[in-house]
Amino acid sequence: MSEATGGRGAQLKHTGLRPGWTTGACATAAATAAYTALLTGEFPDPVAISLPGGQTPAFALAREELLDGRAMAGIVKDAGDDPDVTHGALVRATVRVLPPGSGVVFRAGPGVGTVTLPGLPLEVGEPAVNPVPRRMMREHIGRVAAEHGGAGDVEITLSVDDGEEIARSTWNPRLGILGGLSILGTTGVVVPYSCSAWIDSIRRGVDVALAAGQTHVAGCTGSTSEKTVVAEYGLPEIALLDMGDFAGAVLKYVRRHPVARLTVCGGFAKLSKLAAGHLDLHSGRSQVDPSFLAGLARLGGADDALTAEVAAANTGLAALRSCMARGIALGDLVASAARDEALSVLRGAPVAVDVLCIDRAGVVVGRSSVR
């Protein structure tokens, strides 16, 4: 497992949660150790690296091998207290020397994906090693070369044990990254529950959809809402954004990278939170507001008794059912209010928006017009 010099067990201020390290940091440390072994015959263990934010973590080696002009080092990723699907994965870097002038060349080994669609910050055909980890590895290879008399011309083949299987739980297949995981990270540090990887995947999903010429994309809260928008609009998989609870992440990125039309689809209760002005729909960070729903019901024609019943409802679904039983289209009212909130976040960007609210079975219980 990896450990930081100067106190690996430190907790994040205000949260009490332990941070971890990205796959990019692990790959950088593994490549640094492997190249050092090629030049000196010895693997540094632990191996220390410098991160963009100034941290200097040191990583224990889980695997090492030196033979036939190649060196391989492996590091087990420690994601700290973040529920990261790559926590515990073995990240390997195999390094071999190339002819002078070759520079640093990256290859995808087993468990690391290859880019097959345009729109990502990497060319089609390249291994899925993001720009910041590439820069970190180049910098550390250069430092090792300067310290031990090497030229710094190397091939780095990155692999992740069981990476292809793990990648099935990520966005990679939808983004056209096939064969395994991506080597990620912009700071090298995993902040627990920041969900930065999810938000980054949303952004890359928009990029890939735009590059593929899609003019209509859908931000969906889950697999049921994805099935609903496919049935409603016939959208291809590449146009589906796994929004989860991060409505704000979708809207803010589409504001900067407009697409002609955005459909937002999700459960009635979640989208009632968007309608009320919440951009993070997670149950731990925003709640369904019965008084807000009661106000919408009143605008839709609810009498005093129904308004009071909605205000006292213990769930959003209960409020919806009460209104449906009395002919008040609360679902449509929530969808329209959610659309208007989305438009306010878009701040005049040239994006037409509509919203679909569904129940747990995927039945549409509310829809807005396109505006």
Side-chain angles (χ1 to χ4, degrees):
M1 303 296 285
S2 58
E3 55 183 10
T5 52
R8 173 64 186 90
Q11 294 178 329
L12 289 179
K13 187 177 181 181
H14 306 310
T15 70
L17 297 175
R18 188 171 61 86
W21 311 114
T22 63
T23 50
C26 295
T28 298
T32 300
Y35 189 42
T36 301
L38 270 183
L39 297 182
T40 68
E42 298 290 337
F43 287 89
D45 189 8
V47 54
I49 62 170
S50 299
L51 299 180
Q55 303 94 330
T56 56
F59 298 80
L61 300 187
R63 299 285 191 279
E64 57 183 64
E65 185 177 89
L66 177 61
L67 53 87
D68 298 331
R70 299 173 184 265
M72 183 278 294
I75 289 171
V76 175
K77 175 176 172 175
D78 180 359
D81 290 330
D82 193 68
D84 188 318
V85 295
T86 59
H87 177 71
L90 182 62
V91 180
R92 301 175 187 255
T94 301
V95 178
R96 71 181 181 95
V97 174
L98 295 178
S102 299
V104 177
V105 177
F106 297 96
R107 305 291 183 204
V112 170
T114 298
V115 176
T116 67
L117 293 176
L120 297 172
L122 299 167
E123 295 296 323
V124 170
E126 281 290 305
V129 182
N130 276 18
V132 172
R134 287 176 183 241
R135 186 180 75 234
M136 289 170 57
M137 280 182 266
R138 288 191 178 102
E139 290 173 352
H140 283 78
I141 291 295
R143 293 174 192 174
V144 172
E147 183 176 352
H148 298 293
D153 299 295
V154 298
E155 176 189 80
I156 302 174
T157 300
L158 298 170
S159 60
V160 179
D161 288 20
D162 301 318
E164 187 166 5
E165 180 178 350
I166 297 170
R168 296 191 185 105
S169 300
T170 73
W171 273 53
N172 277 15
R174 182 171 295 177
L175 295 176
I177 298 172
L178 304 183
L181 293 162
S182 302
I183 303 299
L184 300 172
T186 55
T187 65
V189 179
V190 175
V191 178
Y193 293 93
S194 68
C195 298
S196 58
W198 194 325
I199 292 171
D200 185 66
S201 293
I202 289 171
R203 295 167 179 165
R204 300 294 77 79
V206 174
D207 293 341
V208 169
L210 287 171
Q214 296 296 316
T215 59
H216 183 184
V217 301
C220 304
T221 57
S223 59
T224 301
S225 54
E226 287 188 352
K227 292 175 183 176
T228 299
V229 295
V230 169
E232 288 277 326
Y233 303 117
L235 292 179
E237 186 178 55
I238 200 171
L240 304 179
L241 307 174
D242 187 3
M243 178 177 75
D245 294 316
F246 302 106
V250 171
L251 294 168
K252 292 172 185 177
Y253 198 72
V254 168
R255 182 176 69 207
R256 300 192 300 273
H257 304 272
V259 62
R261 181 174 174 184
L262 169 67
T263 295
V264 176
C265 182
F268 170 82
K270 277 189 183 293
L271 294 189
S272 78
K273 293 190 280 187
L274 174 60
H278 298 287
L279 299 183
D280 185 337
L281 310 182
H282 191 277
S283 59
R285 296 183 287 273
S286 61
Q287 301 296 323
V288 174
D289 183 353
S291 63
F292 172 76
L293 294 177
L296 286 181
R298 171 73 79 182
L299 290 174
D303 59 19
D304 290 345
L306 178 56
T307 300
E309 185 177 332
V310 172
N314 60 354
T315 66
L317 183 59
L320 175 66
R321 287 174 174 168
S322 293
C323 287
M324 291 176 68
R326 293 166 175 82
I328 303 298
L330 184 59
D332 292 345
L333 293 165
V334 164
S336 296
R339 177 206 59 205
D340 292 346
E341 179 62 27
L343 289 171
S344 73
V345 176
L346 289 169
R347 297 179 187 171
V351 181
V353 179
D354 69 304
V355 172
L356 296 177
C357 297
I358 61 173
D359 65 13
R360 291 174 182 171
V363 175
V364 176
V365 295
R367 67 174 74 230
S368 76
S369 60
V370 182
R371 182 177 296 175

